[in-house]
Amino acid sequence: MAKSKNATVIEWIGKRCRELRLRKQMTLKQVANNMGLQSHSVTSDIEGGQYDMKITTLLKCVKAMGVTPGEFFASMPPDIKIFGSGRREPTRERG
């Protein structure tokens, strides 16, 4: 997967999901079914970078494609943006 300095983590996750799904020759519906969803619209939104999901949903998606979280995140660029336009980064940590 090509690295993009402008991609947010949500966009990267979507591209990575699509890359793995196509490599495994799976349809959106098959991934959705493996995640326990009745519709493939969520998996489509994930791949389009339009779905800011909970970590549990991400892990279901990763498992549905038959990879480990380590394999999924292995190619994530270290300088990826966590927040996209329209969201502010936190200025300090809360203790």
Side-chain angles (χ1 to χ4, degrees):
M1 174 184 305
K3 294 181 183 181
S4 170
K5 292 188 181 206
N6 295 323
T8 65
V9 71
I10 295 168
E11 293 165 336
W12 182 87
I13 286 170
K15 289 176 185 174
R16 181 72 170 144
C17 286
R18 179 174 170 79
E19 173 190 342
L20 291 172
R21 178 179 63 80
L22 293 175
R23 186 181 301 155
K24 301 248 179 204
Q25 300 180 342
M26 296 176 74
T27 66
L28 288 169
K29 182 103 174 118
Q30 287 171 318
V31 174
N33 288 341
N34 290 352
M35 290 175 67
L37 303 173
Q38 295 193 8
S39 170
H40 69 278
S41 64
V42 170
T43 51
S44 179
D45 288 346
I46 290 169
E47 286 188 6
Q50 304 299 312
Y51 192 77
D52 189 357
M53 68 193 102
K54 296 178 185 179
I55 190 69
T56 53
T57 304
L58 175 59
L59 293 175
K60 283 181 187 178
C61 187
V62 169
K63 184 177 179 182
M65 290 185 284
V67 297
T68 67
E71 292 168 318
F72 184 86
F73 287 105
S75 64
M76 187 169 133
D79 59 346
I80 197 160
K81 293 184 341 184
I82 303 299
F83 297 97
S85 60
R87 293 189 67 182
R88 292 186 310 160
E89 291 189 46
T91 55
R92 63 184 169 92
E93 286 187 33
R94 295 183 181 181

